[in-house]
Amino acid sequence: MTLTPARDAAARVPDPVPAPSPSPSPGLSRRAACEFGLTALLLLAVVSGVRWLFAPDGYGGGGVAFALLGAGVGVLLAALMLSAPGRWSGGHLNPAITVALWRLGVFPGREVMPYVVAQLGGSVAGTGLAWAVWGPVVARPPVSHAVVRPGPGWGEGAVMAAEAGVLAGSALLLAGLLAHPVGRRLLPYAVGVVTALVIAVLGPLSGGSANPARQFGPALLSGEAGRLWVYVAGPVVGAVAGAGLCRRAGVGLSRRLSAGLTPPPVRPRQP
């Protein structure tokens, strides 16, 4: 008796099917459209919140206003991530998070640019929609399309350090949660809590953006784009740095992440 197949049997074995060449996952345009719409809704809510919390005919601003805005945005962000469009696209809503997930090895690099373009476009659309809904008060100070401004004594270097630090910590948090099934289920809520704290604590100081899309539309439409580069570069630099630290932190975590153990809302759902 032998374990070697007979010659005629072996001849009937079909040739291996060649592996398909890498290509973008199906439904990229649809998922990018979801990112556009979700980011537009996020900015519509942010600008609306700033309008009613900081305008003279609203709450009037102050530290409590930042806390209220943070709580509202945090709850909304978690809800958007858990929604059907959020689960379809992955619910990034932040170009820096998209970059971080790419550097962590759980999001394809060829899809980063479509997502980023969709998120930035959604930022402009949501900001413009808020102006259409609430009228000229959105364009006037202190609202000014909800553009983020640093507090007194905060220069560009300090703002960049704060923005980068928040995203570096966020990248480490993402990696830690993605490494465990329970953490993956808690991810949207954790992102919401972190966002609320960033706005409440850093809002009066550095501005508390931590999201290039959060500042992109307001800066363009308000004409205050001078510091836009800081609020774009800071989070992206922090995302890359945090993901790099994570990949060096431990072989076990890197293996889990590279194995693709990343369900929605981070990995986009396949049609």
Side-chain angles (χ1 to χ4, degrees):
M1 184 175 181
T2 177
L3 297 179
T4 304
R7 182 180 299 271
D8 60 340
R12 292 193 295 268
V13 176
D15 294 333
V17 178
S21 58
S23 60
S25 57
L28 174 58
S29 60
R30 186 182 302 178
R31 289 185 284 107
C34 290
E35 286 291 303
F36 176 92
L38 291 170
T39 308
L41 287 175
L42 178 64
L43 264 293
L44 171 62
V46 167
V47 178
S48 299
V50 171
R51 183 262 178 270
W52 288 108
L53 289 172
F54 291 88
D57 61 341
Y59 185 82
V64 176
F66 280 104
L68 292 173
L69 180 64
V73 172
V75 170
L76 175 63
L77 186 57
L80 292 176
M81 293 175 67
L82 290 167
S83 68
R87 290 182 175 275
W88 181 267
S89 71
H92 300 185
L93 288 79
N94 185 336
I97 293 298
T98 299
V99 170
L101 294 171
W102 164 50
R103 298 304 300 163
L104 287 171
V106 297
F107 189 76
R110 62 185 172 273
E111 297 186 2
V112 169
M113 189 54 65
Y115 264 50
V116 169
V117 170
Q119 291 155 358
L120 297 181
S123 174
V124 175
T127 305
L129 182 58
W131 177 85
V133 170
W134 302 117
V137 66
V138 169
R140 295 195 296 261
V143 180
S144 298
H145 297 284
V147 67
V148 172
R149 304 183 186 95
W154 280 77
E156 293 178 345
V159 171
M160 176 168 283
E163 294 283 301
V166 169
L167 260 296
S170 298
L172 293 171
L173 175 66
L174 284 173
L177 291 174
L178 291 175
H180 305 283
V182 175
R184 285 175 246 149
R185 291 193 293 270
L186 296 176
L187 181 58
Y189 310 102
V191 171
V193 170
V194 169
T195 301
L197 290 175
V198 168
I199 295 174
V201 175
L202 291 179
L205 303 175
S206 67
S209 173
N211 181 348
R214 160 64 182 89
Q215 179 74 332
F216 187 75
L220 289 185
L221 295 185
S222 67
E224 299 184 32
R227 292 192 181 94
L228 177 59
W229 73 272
V230 178
Y231 289 100
V232 171
V236 173
V237 169
V240 173
L245 288 174
C246 171
R247 294 180 72 89
R248 293 171 179 267
V251 176
L253 178 59
S254 298
R255 285 177 177 174
R256 289 188 182 190
L257 291 174
S258 61
L261 298 179
T262 315
V266 175
R267 172 185 282 177
R269 180 183 295 177
Q270 303 298 327

